[in-house]
């Protein structure tokens, strides 16, 4: 199972060229808006707007689909829970299911799809370094409270970089163990738990090795916690950023008032 978290796809597009602070702000607003849309028409309009943004970003549809695929189980479980736990008019031939629950389940499932679509698009169009810099910029007020914002931003960046590596390493180890004849799928629950040992041991070894290599790399680059660091490229809001902010805010207000 491939995760798109941390996988940045560089493209020469309008969306890629936006300021990362603008993209993070709009991502947070868009996720909040998606969970407050009730009707089918606002949801469809929001999906159409996201489709337009995806086209402008020049991200292939399979990139968005790969970000949604790992969460299919979440969509299904959420919809099923609403179907059987929402009171209302019973559905024929389906015990304990209600018509209102079916409608709510489909609506919440669509809201989750839109929210993950927004976060996936933001991740694919924003490099991890720019994302962390934008996060550090938003955390600046906490510096007056003696909060180590730079260290928090660094930890977030390392987590973003390591998540896809861990998934790829796990997939590689599983395939290697299967090639050696290790049975990881058959048997009961206890057998399956024991069969994870040949996967977890080399995975932990790889994690500790990568962490040690990272510590050595930071030391060689003279990294010191709390030190003042500069950026090679300073970012500033441009006309495209202001236009995008205004248009997106108008769209959000229109969808919420629909």
């Amino acid at each position: 199972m491939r995760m798109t978290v941390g996988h940045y796809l560089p493209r020469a597009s309008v969306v890629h060229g936006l300021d990362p602070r603008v993209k993070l702000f709009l991502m947070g607003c868009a996720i909040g808006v998606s969970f407050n849309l009730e009707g089918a028409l606002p949801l469809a309009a929001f999906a159409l707007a996201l489709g337009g943004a995806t086209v402008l970003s020049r991200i292939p549809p399979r990139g968005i689909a790969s970000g949604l695929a790992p969460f299919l189980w979440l969509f299904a479980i959420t919809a099923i829970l609403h179907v059987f736990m929402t009171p209302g008019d019973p559905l024929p031939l389906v015990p304990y299911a209600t018509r209102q629950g079916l409608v709510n389940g489909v609506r919440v499932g669509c809201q989750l799809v839109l929210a993950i679509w927004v976060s996936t698009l933001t991740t694919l169009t924003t490099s991890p370094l720019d994302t962390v810099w934008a996060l550090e910029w938003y955390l600046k007020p906490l510096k007056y409270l003696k909060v180590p914002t730079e260290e928090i931003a660094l930890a977030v960046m390392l987590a973003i970089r390591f998540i896809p590596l861990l998934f790829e390493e796990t997939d590689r180890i599983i395939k290697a163990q299967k090639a050696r004849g290790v049975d990881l799928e058959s048997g009961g629950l206890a057998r399956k738990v024991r069969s994870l040992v040949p996967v977890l041991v080399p995975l932990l070894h790889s994690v500790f090795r990568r962490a040690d290599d990272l510590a050595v790399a930071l030391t060689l680059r003279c990294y010191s916690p709390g030190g003042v660091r500069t950026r090679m490229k300073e970012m500033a809001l441009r006309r495209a950023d202001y236009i995008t902010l205004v248009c997106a805010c108008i769209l959000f207000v229109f969808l919420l008032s629909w």
Side-chain angles (χ1 to χ4, degrees):
M1 179 177 64
R2 288 189 171 273
M3 297 285 288
T4 59
V5 178
H7 285 184
Y8 168 61
L9 298 180
R11 296 286 190 277
S13 71
V14 177
V15 180
H16 284 75
L18 293 175
D19 192 285
R21 296 170 294 182
V22 173
K23 286 189 277 189
L24 279 187
F25 174 76
L26 293 180
M27 182 189 71
C29 293
I31 292 176
V33 169
S34 65
F35 285 111
N36 284 278
L37 299 179
E38 298 294 336
L41 289 179
L43 289 171
F46 195 24
L48 184 62
L50 287 179
T54 304
V55 172
L56 290 176
S57 67
R58 299 184 180 180
I59 297 295
R62 66 172 180 268
I64 302 297
S66 63
L68 295 174
F71 299 95
L72 290 178
W73 63 271
L74 178 62
F75 306 149
I77 292 177
T78 302
I80 292 173
L81 288 177
H82 277 80
V83 168
F84 291 99
M85 299 184 67
T86 302
D89 302 327
L91 286 175
L93 304 179
V94 183
Y96 305 107
T98 62
R99 194 179 307 277
Q100 288 79 359
L102 179 61
V103 173
N104 289 339
V106 173
R107 175 178 55 82
V108 174
C110 292
Q111 291 174 342
L112 288 173
V113 170
L114 294 176
I116 297 177
W117 187 350
V118 169
S119 59
T120 302
L121 182 61
T122 304
T123 302
L124 294 176
T125 57
T126 312
S127 68
L129 190 60
D130 289 341
T131 302
V132 171
W133 175 80
L135 179 62
E136 183 179 343
W137 186 85
Y138 280 115
L139 292 177
K140 273 186 178 180
L142 296 179
K143 295 181 68 174
Y144 297 102
L145 301 177
K146 306 299 181 180
V147 176
T149 56
E150 292 85 358
E151 284 68 30
I152 293 175
L154 177 63
V156 172
M157 183 185 68
L158 295 178
I160 293 175
R161 291 288 183 91
F162 265 84
I163 287 175
L165 291 177
L166 288 179
F167 276 95
E168 292 176 1
E169 188 73 12
T170 303
D171 184 63
R172 184 185 65 82
I173 293 173
I174 290 176
K175 291 180 179 179
Q177 297 293 13
K178 287 183 177 180
R180 293 182 176 92
V182 178
D183 188 5
L184 301 175
E185 298 177 355
S186 63
L189 180 61
R191 180 181 176 85
K192 289 182 179 180
V193 172
R194 289 195 300 268
S195 64
L196 290 178
V197 175
V199 176
L200 293 178
V201 172
L203 179 63
L204 289 176
H205 177 269
S206 175
V207 169
F208 287 126
R209 178 175 55 82
R210 289 180 182 273
D212 184 67
D213 293 342
L214 178 63
V216 172
L218 290 175
T219 302
L220 292 177
R221 287 169 174 78
C222 301
Y223 171 77
S224 59
V228 179
R229 293 182 294 276
T230 58
R231 287 177 53 88
M232 183 178 67
K233 183 177 69 173
E234 294 294 334
M235 292 190 179
L237 294 179
R238 300 176 300 174
R239 179 182 300 177
D241 299 311
Y242 290 111
I243 294 175
T244 302
L245 276 173
V246 172
C247 293
C249 290
I250 293 175
L251 175 63
F252 294 156
V253 172
F254 173 73
L255 291 175
L256 291 175
S257 60
W258 195 330

